């Protein structure tokens, strides 16, 4: 592999890994506190992407406002899901919460199909995101360094939130032992709602860059990010926030290596190989690359 290909590979892997890390992080934030595998998480992306489509197509708002409102839409749907769909079932079995997350996802997809369109809609993206910039002599779309920089800022901000603020300390305590945290006065509704809001914010940011990559949104737009998130957290560790970030970058690295090394006739098997790797992780190292804290308790 010559230097040019290596540089291009590195830039693509870091940019994709940044995107996947944010996706996985949003899943683990909710799972760490609620022990809920949120199958409705993909709809946070879809709602944000559809917001970008409507505002970009039917209004003349400046792009920074469109992006901010798209992120706000992700936060809003996360807030509504927690308050309306999940909170009433928290004192019941975990199976009830899983069924609820499936139901929210299916209902949302049908709403998109019936009220908007079952077909993809083109999401207008500002030209500057597709502008080519040169990094170490390699041309790459501006969106790649933008997602890397955005991810770095978000990871620093979330690290400071979790380590330096009262809310972050409460969330860390709840993720380690929810019952003990509640007995010490940590408000359950607040930390759970905060986890969902952070998850929705991350989904809104990811939706901007995913829309810039694909250029469209359709009713099943959330399925792809949801699957990527699950694979990344299995690799990195479902019980660890740093593990989810590591898992996102590892997933991107493996995916890009397979794209470069597999013969053209085998490229269609790339996803199957990725699933085989996930199964191997589940068998050999089920806790993921970073173990984190294991505990089994219901949140209610």
């Amino acid at each position: 592999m010559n230097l040019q290909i290596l540089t291009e590979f590195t830039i693509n892997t870091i940019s994709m890994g940044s995107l996947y890390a944010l996706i996985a992080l949003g899943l683990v934030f909710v799972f760490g506190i609620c022990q809920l595998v949120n199958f409705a998480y993909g709809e946070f992306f879809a709602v944000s992407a559809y917001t970008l489509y409507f505002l970009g197509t039917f209004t003349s708002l400046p792009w920074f406002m469109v992006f901010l409102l798209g992120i706000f839409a992700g936060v809003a749907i996360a807030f509504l899901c927690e308050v309306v769909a999940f909170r009433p079932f928290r004192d019941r079995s975990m199976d009830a919460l899983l069924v609820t997350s499936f139901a929210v996802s299916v209902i949302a997809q049908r709403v998109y199909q019936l009220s908007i369109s079952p077909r993809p809609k083109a999401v207008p993206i500002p030209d500057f995101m597709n502008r080519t910039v040169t990094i170490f002599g390699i041309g790459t779309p501006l969106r790649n360094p933008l997602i890397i920089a955005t991810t770095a800022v978000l990871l620093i901000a979330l690290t400071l939130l979790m380590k330096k603020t009262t809310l972050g300390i409460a969330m860390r305590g709840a993720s380690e032992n929810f019952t003990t945290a509640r007995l010490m006065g940590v408000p359950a509704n607040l930390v759970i709602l905060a986890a969902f809001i952070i998850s929705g914010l991350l989904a809104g940011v990811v939706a901007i860059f995913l829309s810039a990559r694909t250029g469209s949104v359709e009713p099943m737009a959330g399925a792809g990010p949801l699957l990527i998130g699950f694979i990344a957290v299995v690799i990195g560790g479902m019980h660890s926030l740093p593990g989810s970030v590591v898992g996102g970058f590892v997933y991107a690295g493996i995916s890009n290596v397979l794209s470069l090394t597999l013969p053209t006739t085998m490229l269609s098997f790339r996803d199957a190989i990725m699933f085989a790797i996930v199964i191997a992780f589940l068998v050999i190292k089920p806790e993921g690359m970073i173990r984190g804290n294991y505990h089994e308790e219901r949140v209610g």
Side-chain angles (χ1 to χ4, degrees):
M1 181 183 296
N2 62 40
L3 182 59
Q4 184 176 7
I5 295 177
L6 179 61
T7 303
E8 185 175 3
F9 171 84
T10 303
I11 294 172
N12 287 337
T13 299
I14 295 175
S15 63
M16 285 179 60
S18 298
L19 206 60
Y20 297 168
L22 294 182
I23 295 171
L25 198 57
L27 267 179
V28 174
F29 253 105
V30 171
F31 181 83
I33 293 175
C34 306
Q35 301 301 295
L36 168 66
V37 179
N38 184 13
F39 289 100
Y41 181 51
E43 306 320 310
F44 299 176
F45 302 102
V47 167
S48 291
Y50 272 117
T51 301
L52 296 175
Y53 158 69
F54 279 110
L55 294 179
T57 303
F58 300 108
T59 73
S60 57
L61 290 173
W63 281 109
F64 76 92
M65 284 297 299
V66 173
F67 288 164
L68 285 177
L69 290 172
I71 294 171
F72 176 78
V75 172
I77 190 64
F79 176 90
L80 289 174
C81 281
E82 198 286 314
V83 173
V84 176
F86 294 115
R87 186 174 296 183
F89 296 97
R90 283 213 311 264
D91 59 346
R92 304 187 185 184
S93 69
M94 192 55 63
D95 292 339
L97 288 175
L98 287 174
V99 171
T100 300
S101 69
F102 270 119
V104 170
S105 179
V106 172
I107 290 171
Q109 290 167 11
R110 296 300 177 267
V111 169
Y112 307 148
Q113 291 174 345
L114 295 175
S115 64
I116 303 175
S117 173
R119 298 176 180 175
K121 292 291 186 179
V123 178
I125 295 296
D127 293 336
F128 73 85
M129 295 193 73
N130 293 320
R131 186 181 305 153
T132 300
V133 295
T134 302
I135 301 177
F136 301 117
I138 300 298
T140 187
L142 181 59
R143 63 174 179 268
N144 286 341
L146 280 178
I147 183 56
I148 294 171
T150 301
T151 299
V153 170
L154 286 174
L155 291 180
I156 292 171
L158 290 173
T159 300
L160 293 175
L161 170 71
M162 298 300 288
K163 291 187 175 182
K164 302 295 184 180
T165 68
T166 302
L167 175 61
I169 294 170
M171 292 176 71
R172 287 166 58 196
S175 67
E176 292 178 6
N177 192 312
F178 195 88
T179 301
T180 301
R182 290 189 68 182
L183 291 174
M184 295 180 67
V186 172
N189 287 340
L190 176 62
V191 294
I192 293 172
L193 187 59
F196 270 88
I197 287 175
I198 291 172
S199 178
L201 184 146
L202 294 173
V205 173
V206 170
I208 293 172
F209 291 98
L210 281 179
S211 298
R213 281 178 174 269
T214 62
S216 65
V217 59
E218 45 94 18
M220 297 295 292
L226 181 66
L227 182 58
I228 289 170
F230 279 136
I231 295 175
V233 297
V234 167
I235 293 173
M238 196 74 178
H239 298 263
S240 170
L241 293 176
S244 64
V245 174
V246 172
F249 283 101
V250 171
Y251 176 94
I254 295 173
S255 179
N256 280 347
V257 167
L258 291 176
S259 297
L260 282 177
T261 57
L262 286 177
T264 305
T265 55
M266 293 287 291
L267 282 177
S268 59
F269 292 95
R270 184 183 64 179
D271 291 341
I273 295 172
M274 289 299 303
F275 278 112
I277 293 171
V278 170
I279 293 171
F281 264 95
L282 287 172
V283 172
I284 300 170
K285 198 171 176 61
E287 71 274 18
M289 298 179 70
I290 300 179
R291 184 178 180 84
N293 299 302
Y294 272 95
H295 58 283
E296 291 192 10
E297 57 177 328
R298 279 190 29 213
V299 177

